[in-house]
Amino acid sequence: MKIKSLIIGALSLVVASTTFARDVWTAEEANAWFDKQPYRAGVNYIPAYAINAIEIWQKETFNIEVIEKEFALLQKTGFNAIRVFLNDLVVHDDPKGFLERFELFLQKADKYNIGVMVVFFTNGGKDDGKLGKQPEPDGTHNSGWKKQPSYSILGDKSKWGYLEFYVKTVIKAHAKDPRIICWDIFNEPGNITSVHIAGAEKGLIQKRIEYLEDCCYDLIKESAKWARSLDPIQPITFGVHRYDHTPLGKKLNDLQYAESDIISYHSYANLLIQANFVKKLKRFNKPLMCKEWMGRNRGSTINPILGFHKKNRIWSFMFGFVAGKIETWRPWKFDENPLSSDVWFHDLYHADHTPYCPEEIAYIKRILQDKK
């Protein structure tokens, strides 16, 4: 009955704003919330069976048995949090069915004491997402990942009601749900020229790129309004993924800081570079989350960076967990080097759940079990 009532609530009035819309949290409000939370550390979670978020969630491929086994392994490793991507196509195709599957997902996460951070939008991947059978791995890093929204929607603001429905359908159902630990509205907004995935930007010209980057800026503002209109108890964030050395980078970063209840960032750099960036972020006097990190051949290694996160109370979400169809043990396409054949890029476990590096698992457990 609980699932049914959640779904009915979510599917009614999802587009209309409520009278309980809240403002961006002040530093005092953000820290008061943070101080009541356990320390969170975990992974960006893509089940081994899925090559992208469509395959995670659509009815034909959703596999709660695999998910539960991987959640058990997460808990055994010492983690208590995940960051997971949803998909607009799946939610629009069958909102009721999606919410039922998502509720089951949350129930299993809660069983293993795993808090869930939700991601709605991302510029990463290829612009050809569709429902149904998904592509097979092609032997490169994350080859089947899909952008959302598609450029045809991102670049046409008359279609943004579609995006509003997507965001509000999910948040409406879980705005007061303690199993959700954060709403991460837009992954790497403005990262139109991401080159992590081969062929992802084929055919885009500079003028079109600049227009889409401007659309990302406006979508940050609009999606923040949509989310806050539902008065969620959880923080809202937009993660900074690049340093503000360019006018566009500064413009996007400043807006993301302004619209975020808590400050979040990505860093695949070594400890020194990340630590220097963290010093700059502390000026906001708000809690920090590192939502993506860990690329072994770039110097972003579990030891010592997880220890740095724990010591500084930075919630930590490394990329990858069990080796699967996204093949993220392989390096970024543009970043291949002689170490690539010997050193996994992401992921902690082989497909059979044996660790890539037992010493890493031991370090994770030691750091996360330390009560200091």
Side-chain angles (χ1 to χ4, degrees):
M1 295 299 292
K2 179 181 178 183
I3 296 177
K4 183 177 180 181
S5 63
L6 281 170
I7 293 165
I8 292 173
L11 296 181
S12 61
L13 302 178
V14 294
V15 175
S17 296
T18 75
T19 59
F20 302 102
R22 64 170 176 82
D23 294 326
V24 179
W25 287 352
T26 64
E28 291 75 18
E29 290 170 327
N31 284 301
W33 171 85
F34 190 72
D35 288 343
K36 296 176 183 177
Q37 308 301 314
Y39 178 74
R40 296 285 186 181
V43 302
N44 283 262
Y45 179 66
I46 299 98
Y49 69 79
I51 200 166
N52 55 37
I54 299 170
E55 200 159 40
I56 296 174
W57 298 111
Q58 67 180 350
K59 180 180 178 180
E60 295 81 3
T61 47
F62 180 72
N63 192 326
I64 198 62
E65 289 78 17
V66 170
I67 290 168
E68 180 163 15
K69 289 177 181 177
E70 293 178 353
F71 282 176
L73 183 61
L74 271 160
Q75 184 183 59
K76 182 179 178 180
T77 305
F79 291 129
N80 65 358
I82 58 171
R83 177 175 182 251
V84 68
F85 290 76
L86 306 186
N87 184 266
D88 60 320
L89 298 173
V90 175
V91 173
H92 269 272
D93 180 62
D94 180 14
K96 180 176 180 292
F98 166 78
L99 288 173
E100 290 174 341
R101 294 188 291 278
F102 188 52
E103 171 62 24
L104 185 57
F105 182 92
L106 291 175
Q107 289 177 4
K108 296 299 184 183
D110 192 51
K111 176 181 176 180
Y112 294 97
N113 193 34
I114 297 167
V116 178
M117 181 192 299
V118 171
V119 189
F120 289 100
F121 303 128
T122 181
N123 288 141
K126 298 176 181 177
D127 189 37
D128 59 355
K130 59 183 178 181
L131 298 172
K133 181 172 173 52
Q134 299 303 300
E136 293 300 317
D138 70 1
T140 63
H141 176 100
N142 206 2
S143 62
W145 202 253
K146 304 301 179 184
K147 298 179 183 298
Q148 57 169 326
S150 66
Y151 288 151
S152 64
I153 294 176
L154 175 64
D156 185 350
K157 295 179 184 179
S158 70
K159 298 178 180 178
W160 283 12
Y162 166 95
L163 303 180
E164 183 178 4
F165 177 87
Y166 166 45
V167 171
K168 286 187 173 182
T169 293
V170 180
I171 296 182
K172 176 73 174 181
H174 298 283
K176 310 304 178 186
D177 190 339
R179 299 171 300 180
I180 303 291
I181 58 175
C182 184
W183 300 109
D184 184 12
I185 307 296
F186 201 157
N187 176 69
E188 300 190 353
N191 195 15
I192 301 300
T193 56
S194 171
V195 290
H196 296 177
I197 299 171
E201 304 306 329
K202 185 177 180 180
L204 278 182
I205 60 175
Q206 186 60 33
K207 187 174 181 180
R208 179 66 170 166
I209 290 170
E210 292 172 358
Y211 173 72
L212 291 170
E213 288 171 337
D214 286 340
C215 289
C216 288
Y217 182 88
D218 291 339
L219 185 55
I220 293 170
K221 292 190 291 186
E222 290 303 308
S223 59
K225 292 176 185 176
W226 302 335
R228 287 198 299 268
S229 75
L230 297 168
D231 191 30
I233 63 171
Q234 310 91 345
I236 293 163
T237 194
F238 295 86
V240 172
H241 71 280
R242 58 181 167 187
Y243 306 125
D244 53 4
H245 300 319
T246 66
L248 175 63
K250 186 177 188 307
K251 176 182 176 181
L252 283 165
N253 286 1
D254 286 348
L255 181 62
Q256 290 172 86
Y257 296 140
E259 295 289 357
S260 293
D261 297 320
I262 55 175
I263 304 300
S264 60
Y265 68 98
H266 297 178
S267 178
Y268 290 100
N270 61 38
L271 178 58
L272 177 61
I273 294 173
Q274 183 173 165
N276 285 335
F277 188 51
V278 166
K279 288 180 183 178
K280 296 179 180 180
L281 294 178
K282 286 186 175 180
R283 72 186 185 272
F284 296 103
N285 193 32
K286 283 188 170 185
L288 297 179
M289 295 184 182
C290 184
K291 298 182 305 186
E292 287 189 22
W293 66 280
M294 210 278 279
R296 294 178 182 90
N297 64 9
R298 296 176 61 85
S300 181
T301 53
I302 293 167
N303 182 359
I305 291 178
L306 181 62
F308 168 78
H309 288 165
K310 177 73 180 301
K311 180 179 180 180
N312 288 276
R313 297 182 69 209
I314 300 169
W315 284 13
S316 181
F317 298 81
M318 67 179 65
F319 206 100
F321 185 52
V322 174
K325 290 177 72 174
I326 60 170
E327 297 188 313
T328 49
W329 69 83
R330 303 184 189 277
W332 291 334
K333 185 65 177 176
F334 74 95
D335 198 36
E336 293 177 351
N337 63 53
L339 290 176
S340 298
S341 61
D342 301 318
V343 180
W344 274 24
F345 189 54
H346 297 320
D347 300 328
L348 292 174
Y349 291 96
H350 295 279
D352 64 359
H353 291 192
T354 57
Y356 162 72
C357 177
E359 290 78 14
E360 286 181 342
I361 304 303
Y363 177 81
I364 292 168
K365 290 181 177 180
R366 178 168 63 83
I367 292 297
L368 297 183
Q369 289 171 0
D370 187 347
K371 300 302 181 183
K372 294 180 181 179

